[in-house]
Structures are given as structure tokens and as C-alpha cells.
């Protein structure tokens, strides 16, 4: 079976200890996101984007919304390191780990919001 090539924007959903990794974006906070390189899978794109932006190593494990109508994909990622390396474009103090409740004002795709509701403890 051939690997699915990523199309559109890939959003990485990194959850650790009930908190979601967010990065600064225009007007607030958002998921680490980027566009795929040629022949890159959504999972590989998510892992690369998280590392490039934050320095955290992650393993893109599962697309939460394959074939989404907006052309993008949200990928659930497993955190592989406890702290970021120096390789990220954003300094650690520019990153935010937020509980599901703290993301109420964050624009998240519906499949991500649904995942958070079922997989993170309420705060």
C-alpha cells in the first residue's frame, strides 16, 4: 500500500500531560502548521514542522481528519522528547502548553476540538 501524500496545510496536534502545544500566529495562538514537501506524508510533514518551529521531536501517528474539505490535515503527534532542542525557530518561552479549557478562544479545526474533548482531562 502506498503512503498517502500530504496536500494543503498540515496541522500538528501535540498533546502531552493533557496539554496541547501551541505556537504564536497572527491574532493569537495556533497549532504548529506547514505545507508538505514533495512526496511527504501528512505524518512526516507534521513531525518536520514541529521540529523546525519548536525543536521538539515528535512522531506523527494518525491523521485526525484525512481528506478534509479544506484541503488540510490535522495529525496527532506523540511527543518523543521532554524538552526542545536548540534547533527550533521559536524560543521555548514563545511556546504555550494549554489545557483543552484554555483553548476555547483558539481557532482549532473541528476534528481537533473533538479529539481534545475526549482525550484531555478537564481543568
Amino acid at each position: 500500500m502506498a503512503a498517502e501524500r500530504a496536500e494543503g496545510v498540515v496541522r500538528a496536534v501535540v498533546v502531552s500531560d493533557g496539554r496541547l502545544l501551541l505556537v504564536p500566529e497572527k491574532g493569537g495562538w495556533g497549532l504548529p502548521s506547514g505545507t508538505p514537501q514533495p512526496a511527504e506524508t501528512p505524518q512526516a510533514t507534521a513531525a518536520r514542522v514541529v521540529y523546525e518551529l519548536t525543536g521538539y521531536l515528535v512522531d506523527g501517528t494518525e491523521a485526525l481528519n484525512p481528506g478534509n474539505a479544506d484541503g488540510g490535515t490535522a495529525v496527532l503527534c506523540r511527543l518523543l522528547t521532554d524538552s526542545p532542542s536548540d534547533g527550533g525557530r521559536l524560543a521555548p518561552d514563545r511556546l504555550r502548553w494549554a489545557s483543552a479549557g484554555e483553548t476555547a478562544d483558539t481557532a482549532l479545526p473541528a476534528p481537533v476540538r473533538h479529539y481534545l474533548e475526549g482525550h484531555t482531562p478537564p481543568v
Side-chain angles (χ1 to χ4, degrees):
M1 182 173 162
E4 176 187 334
R5 189 174 77 78
E7 294 182 14
V9 174
V10 174
R11 294 168 185 86
V13 181
V14 183
V15 178
S16 179
D17 294 327
R19 297 191 169 293
L20 177 66
L21 176 63
L22 299 173
V23 297
E25 63 178 28
K26 283 185 180 179
W29 296 93
L31 299 171
S33 303
T35 55
Q37 294 178 352
E40 195 172 48
T41 66
Q43 292 82 355
T45 301
R48 176 182 53 78
V49 166
V50 169
Y51 183 75
E52 289 175 353
L53 288 175
T54 71
Y56 280 106
L57 288 175
V58 300
D59 182 11
T61 59
E62 174 186 354
L64 295 177
N65 61 335
N68 192 16
D70 72 0
T73 303
V75 176
L76 182 61
C77 297
R78 184 171 48 106
L79 189 63
L80 301 175
T81 55
D82 291 332
S83 58
S85 73
D86 292 335
R89 281 184 266 178
L90 299 170
D93 64 348
R94 296 210 44 224
L95 306 176
R96 179 176 175 206
W97 287 95
S99 68
E102 294 170 328
T103 65
D105 294 335
T106 304
L108 297 175
V112 174
R113 182 82 52 206
H114 179 73
Y115 176 83
L116 292 175
E117 289 171 358
H119 293 88
T120 58
V123 174

